Amino acid sequence: MKTEILRKYAELIARCGLNVQEGQEVMITADLDQPEFVTMCVEECYRAGAKKVIVDWVHQKVTKLHYENQSLETLSHLEKWQLERWQWQTEQLPCKLFIESDDPDGLAGIDQEKVSNARQKWFPLIKPYRDKMENRYSWCIAAVPGKAWAKKVFPELSEESAVEALWDAILKTSRALEGEPLENWKEHNADLKRRYDYLNALKLRSLHYESANGTNLTVGLIDGCNFLGGGETTMGGQFFNPNIPSEEIFTTPRAGEAEGIVYATKPLSYQGQLIENFWIRFEDGRAVEVGAEKNEALLRKMISMDDGAAKLGECALIPYDSPINNTGILFFNTLFDENASCHLALGHGFSNLLEGFENLTMEECYARGINDSMIHVDFMIGSSDLNITGTTSTGATVPIFRNGAWAF
Ligand code: ZN
């Protein structure tokens, strides 16, 4: 890929994704396989005014070795310096950039039970820090094509051509291949805003999903909880774009209010393994029954990670005719696949969607119906015949989606 195009993509990530402000610190988590692009991101963060940029290099193959060789006790333990680093984050509130390039099934074969059990042990240790930081810092997830990932998406191409093809797909869907990326995003954000302003004015209380594949699900919404899309604003007033790309308009449903059954329309990559052809049945807001053709045990484990893991944390609306879906590519990566299709997420909800969230504690947000969990996992439910109907506070019904597309 041409250097000047990559440079603009890095600039987009620093200025529109994170929106780094003069004097801020930045933390970047990235795999070792893309040193050139990460270097460009570091440079662009400094150019945007960053005081200090820290890169946390990771490597999926090393991560796998850790899971295979460390005991559950060692995996569950956090050193004092690790907790101190979390404490530092709550004080400095660095912008956090996550650059994804992982092989979608690069962790296949590891002991999932051990990984999940370890997470259940270390998560409570970091939760107080995480709660303290929530909605106070800007963050962004963007992607670069790792070699194994590119081969998974384009198995018929040589490694080099596959990487180039995935770069093309990433940049095109991220609105960073043509024109001026920063301008493209200004327009895109304005477009999404027009739609969610309309949805927020409806004061919806529930959404009903229906599709010929068997999906028939009603999800309760929270009074005074908004729809949002594209950019978000921290409590300190910093506007940022957490996902590049992003096509969704989403809200957080009321934890404990979901009834019916929903069928996934794309495989789900979870902890480096694919869960395929699955469905989930909800009762009183909880996933009470699941089925999957592949990795059903992993799905079952996922919804039992903690109390909130069986409840919904997100309803996202994306037309079936989205730019990402129109590429015809299955990315095997949530950042892209979630933007190709209407989806739901199990787990943690978005407290910043509550009106007046700036003045609420996390406990108060949870009490209002925001789900609390250590997981937040999106799964795709969009189809070309999906209908979504909203019910307002006065009991009126409003078509939101008809045949997989916006009804307004
Ligand atoms: Zn989403």
Side-chain angles (χ1 to χ4, degrees):
M1 191 48 67
K2 284 195 200 125
T3 311
E4 69 248 52
I5 293 177
L6 295 185
R7 170 67 60 186
K8 282 191 177 174
Y9 179 45
E11 185 189 25
L12 177 74
I13 289 170
R15 302 210 179 232
C16 169
L18 296 175
N19 189 13
V20 177
Q21 301 293 300
E22 195 67 41
Q24 277 189 320
E25 308 204 8
V26 180
M27 267 175 86
I28 301 177
T29 306
D31 197 287
L32 286 169
D33 62 8
Q34 293 281 342
E36 296 86 4
F37 186 71
V38 174
T39 305
M40 275 187 200
C41 287
V42 171
E43 209 176 334
E44 289 303 322
C45 287
Y46 279 126
R47 278 176 41 150
K51 178 170 78 175
K52 180 163 82 183
V53 183
I54 299 166
V55 182
D56 239 347
W57 295 105
V58 291
H59 194 46
Q60 198 181 26
K61 289 191 173 111
V62 171
T63 305
K64 188 171 183 185
L65 285 171
H66 291 329
Y67 287 137
E68 285 171 343
N69 290 284
Q70 291 184 18
S71 68
L72 173 62
E73 198 192 341
T74 307
L75 282 173
S76 314
H77 179 73
L78 287 178
E79 299 294 343
K80 205 170 145 211
W81 60 265
Q82 289 173 302
L83 293 174
E84 271 169 15
R85 204 167 88 139
W86 275 100
Q87 177 61 30
W88 167 80
Q89 287 188 56
T90 66
E91 288 158 13
Q92 284 300 321
L93 300 171
C95 306
K96 289 174 84 164
L97 172 60
F98 304 90
I99 299 180
E100 295 196 347
S101 58
D102 278 351
D103 177 357
D105 33 33
L107 298 181
I110 57 167
D111 179 354
Q112 284 300 333
E113 192 72 12
K114 187 161 87 171
V115 177
S116 299
N117 290 347
R119 188 178 168 88
Q120 281 168 321
K121 291 214 166 93
W122 62 252
F123 187 82
L125 304 176
I126 65 155
K127 187 170 192 304
Y129 303 102
R130 209 185 71 152
D131 277 359
K132 218 183 264 177
M133 292 169 67
E134 195 151 324
N135 305 323
R136 290 176 193 276
Y137 66 100
S138 81
W139 54 278
C140 177
I141 308 176
V144 294
K147 290 186 185 117
W149 178 22
K151 276 295 282 180
K152 171 93 185 168
V153 178
F154 301 103
E156 71 287 0
L157 300 180
S158 70
E159 190 174 87
E160 201 188 337
S161 309
V163 167
E164 200 55 21
L166 188 52
W167 258 130
D168 203 73
I170 289 172
L171 293 171
K172 196 176 285 168
T173 53
S174 299
R175 291 177 161 77
L177 194 58
E178 281 144 22
E180 287 303 316
L182 287 169
E183 284 305 310
N184 298 345
W185 274 79
K186 213 179 263 175
E187 235 172 77
H188 182 45
N189 273 325
D191 209 57
L192 290 168
K193 186 175 185 317
R194 270 194 294 276
R195 292 221 183 261
Y196 68 69
D197 280 347
Y198 168 81
L199 287 170
N200 290 336
L202 291 175
K203 307 239 170 276
L204 297 171
R205 288 297 164 270
S206 69
L207 294 176
H208 178 72
Y209 295 80
E210 208 165 8
S211 162
N213 66 12
T215 290
N216 188 345
L217 177 75
T218 304
V219 179
L221 301 179
I222 303 169
D223 188 10
C225 187
N226 285 322
F227 285 83
L228 190 64
E232 304 189 5
T233 307
T234 65
M235 281 187 182
Q238 187 173 346
F239 185 76
F240 67 103
N241 277 272
N243 289 348
I244 295 179
S246 183
E247 299 292 331
E248 60 176 358
I249 286 173
F250 62 97
T251 191
T252 278
R254 183 186 293 280
E257 261 188 48
E259 216 62 47
I261 191 161
V262 64
Y263 286 81
T265 51
K266 283 180 200 277
L268 165 64
S269 178
Y270 178 65
Q271 293 187 357
Q273 302 198 52
L274 288 175
I275 302 171
E276 294 180 42
N277 294 325
F278 62 99
W279 54 267
I280 303 174
R281 194 169 65 77
F282 289 88
E283 237 176 64
D284 295 327
R286 299 189 70 87
V288 290
E289 205 184 338
V290 301
E293 259 170 40
K294 201 176 149 203
N295 273 322
E296 186 176 301
L298 181 59
L299 178 59
R300 233 176 262 290
K301 182 69 199 177
M302 187 182 102
I303 64 166
S304 60
M305 286 299 284
D306 59 16
D307 186 59
K311 297 183 215 164
L312 293 170
E314 177 182 358
C315 296
L317 308 173
I318 300 114
Y320 190 72
D321 183 30
S322 78
I324 295 182
N325 215 22
N326 288 341
T327 63
I329 298 168
L330 182 59
F331 285 83
F332 300 100
N333 177 299
T334 301
L335 178 62
F336 294 85
D337 294 333
E338 76 158 355
N339 280 300
S341 163
C342 279
H343 59 267
L344 299 170
L346 284 160
H348 208 68
F350 303 116
S351 51
N352 64 326
L353 302 180
L354 283 175
E355 273 161 26
F357 76 97
E358 301 88 344
N359 305 314
L360 300 173
T361 63
M362 283 310 294
E363 283 312 314
E364 288 167 328
C365 293
Y366 300 142
R368 291 272 308 272
I370 302 288
N371 195 25
D372 181 19
S373 173
M374 71 174 76
I375 69 160
H376 176 97
V377 183
D378 291 320
F379 61 98
M380 309 313 133
I381 62 162
S383 60
S384 60
D385 74 336
L386 181 66
N387 287 341
I388 306 173
T389 305
T391 302
T392 70
S393 53
T394 60
T397 56
V398 188
I400 307 295
F401 259 60
R402 285 294 173 265
N403 290 316
W406 292 112
F408 58 88

